[in-house]
Amino acid sequence: MQAGNAWILKPVAEMSTSEFSDWCQLLETRSGMVLTEQRRSFLQVNLTARMRELGVTDYADYYQQVLDGPSAAVEWTNLLDKLTVQETHFFRHQASYDFVADFLRKRIADNNHKKPLSIWSVGCATGEEPWSLAITVAQVLREQGSGQGFAVTATDISHSALKKARAACYSARRLEPLSKELIEHYFVEEQPGFFQVKKNLMQRVCFARLNVLELANAPISSMDVIFCQNLLIYFRRWQRREILNHLAAKLAPGGVLVVGLGEVTGWEHTDLQPVDNEKVLAFTRKG
Ligand SMILES: C[S@@+](CC[C@H](N)C(=O)[O-])C[C@H]1O[C@@H](n2cnc3c(N)ncnc32)[C@H](O)[C@@H]1O
């Protein structure tokens, strides 16, 4: 047996308490991600998987590589892709999409808002959320016979998730939450069992890498809808509030911020009004 193969068969090594603490601190400072003690083995397994690819045997050596090695940026990206939870679905929380559709109907009817509608999916993962939002807007415009323009911006910290999101090709299984009519209207079957978003919808959505800890510098403003679901749960309470404060500043007057139900409690903002609807957690920007 070759030396390399012997290494592959070795069990995952136990991390010392100080090593675990160093990794947690690095991850939290750079991405906001909080790893609890229960996630220690998750961290060990994922670090080990990457370390095996590199032939590194020691957590401390790999830590140095991620911190300031010659490929530190690449290593950091690789690690984030492995450690972030990217679970998502089309129309994951239907009530939130129904709320956005209602909001858009009113926005379109309002003669003061004739500029293209701007929608932002924050933490878009592999794209199911921004494509669901794009379909929601397109459907409302169709139903209203409106020619108003729209654009969806979708951001995430993970390069690999963004790559899949941009490719916009999903299996029939992923598309199960969509009606046959929606699939026929917005997708083409590229190969048996795989569906590609149609070009005219693809032109409406742009993807970018953005860490929500760096929102203050993000060149995004005047959004009509900001959709941020299943992301804040990975952050500490104070950081959730900071993120929400930055998102609030990026809303257009009258725009809405839609968060996942129960993802934040007791947060208030002087410029925002909570929406009175128990099925969703949303806030409207005054003015
Ligand atoms: C569980 S998914 C949620 C996807 C989608 N919003 C939904 O509700 O289905 C969380 C996403 O947040 C992203 N994420 C985690 N930390 C982030 C950060 N600091 N900045 C931006 N995105 C981050 C992950 O890469 C992942 O794609």
Side-chain angles (χ1 to χ4, degrees):
M1 190 187 294
Q2 287 179 346
N5 291 342
W7 160 234
I8 288 168
L9 296 175
K10 274 191 186 171
V12 172
E14 265 309 304
M15 192 177 255
S16 72
T17 306
S18 78
E19 281 172 337
F20 181 61
S21 149
D22 286 347
W23 279 105
C24 288
Q25 214 177 340
L26 181 71
L27 285 165
E28 188 172 345
T29 314
R30 289 197 184 174
S31 75
M33 200 189 308
V34 181
L35 281 186
T36 55
E37 184 58 42
Q38 288 89 325
R39 303 260 288 166
R40 183 197 276 249
S41 65
F42 165 81
L43 178 67
Q44 288 177 177
V45 167
N46 282 287
L47 288 182
T48 304
R50 181 60 186 152
M51 284 157 59
R52 282 178 183 170
E53 284 167 11
L54 295 170
V56 180
T57 52
D58 199 273
Y59 289 121
D61 284 351
Y62 185 50
Y63 182 84
Q64 274 315 316
Q65 286 198 23
V66 174
L67 205 62
D68 55 12
S71 317
V74 175
E75 277 319 308
W76 176 242
T77 303
N78 265 311
L79 204 56
L80 271 183
D81 288 346
K82 287 202 161 79
L83 299 181
T84 46
V85 179
Q86 286 160 11
E87 193 200 331
T88 186
H89 311 282
F90 277 93
F91 293 97
R92 187 169 186 175
H93 185 239
Q94 187 61 51
S96 294
Y97 289 95
D98 293 343
F99 169 77
V100 168
D102 271 349
F103 165 80
L104 292 172
R105 283 183 197 107
K106 289 182 208 130
R107 199 73 160 168
I108 292 162
D110 183 344
N111 281 327
N112 294 324
H113 289 283
K114 286 300 161 211
K115 73 175 183 64
L117 297 160
S118 302
I119 323 291
W120 181 11
S121 160
V122 186
C124 66
T126 43
E128 286 83 341
E129 182 178 280
W131 293 120
S132 301
L133 286 166
I135 290 170
T136 302
V137 190
Q139 281 293 95
V140 169
L141 293 172
R142 259 176 94 196
E143 142 211 315
Q144 305 281 305
S146 165
Q148 196 161 348
F150 76 92
V152 178
T153 303
T155 60
D156 200 281
I157 198 170
S158 162
H159 280 289
S160 64
L162 286 167
K163 199 171 163 200
K164 288 183 196 148
R166 274 194 198 100
C169 187
Y170 299 94
S171 66
R173 183 119 192 262
R174 303 291 303 166
L175 294 185
E176 268 169 17
L178 278 76
S179 66
K180 199 165 165 264
E181 194 264 324
L182 283 185
I183 297 175
E184 275 172 10
H185 200 82
Y186 295 105
F187 293 82
V188 231
E189 191 164 9
E190 276 283 292
Q191 40 171 307
F194 286 88
F195 296 79
Q196 174 81 49
V197 175
K198 281 191 183 167
K199 261 209 182 89
N200 55 352
L201 199 61
M202 282 186 80
Q203 285 162 352
R204 298 286 181 179
V205 184
C206 79
F207 294 92
R209 184 172 184 267
L210 178 66
N211 183 345
V212 287
L213 298 188
E214 291 159 12
L215 283 173
N217 308 320
I220 298 179
S221 60
S222 277
M223 288 285 139
D224 295 295
V225 177
I226 300 181
F227 207 84
C228 179
Q229 300 203 325
N230 302 296
L231 167 63
L232 296 170
I233 43 172
Y234 300 103
F235 294 79
R236 292 200 190 276
R237 270 171 69 105
W238 68 268
Q239 208 137 42
R240 295 181 195 189
R241 288 154 190 257
E242 292 262 297
I243 294 169
L244 288 169
N245 288 339
H246 284 300
L247 293 178
K250 297 193 179 287
L251 273 177
V256 286
L257 168 61
V258 187
V259 184
L261 262 188
E263 287 188 52
V264 67
T265 47
W267 175 72
E268 287 177 5
H269 191 287
T270 45
D271 296 336
L272 302 194
Q273 180 89 40
V275 167
D276 187 14
N277 177 343
E278 62 189 23
K279 290 186 185 153
V280 299
L281 181 54
F283 305 83
T284 310
R285 192 178 169 106
K286 298 170 191 166

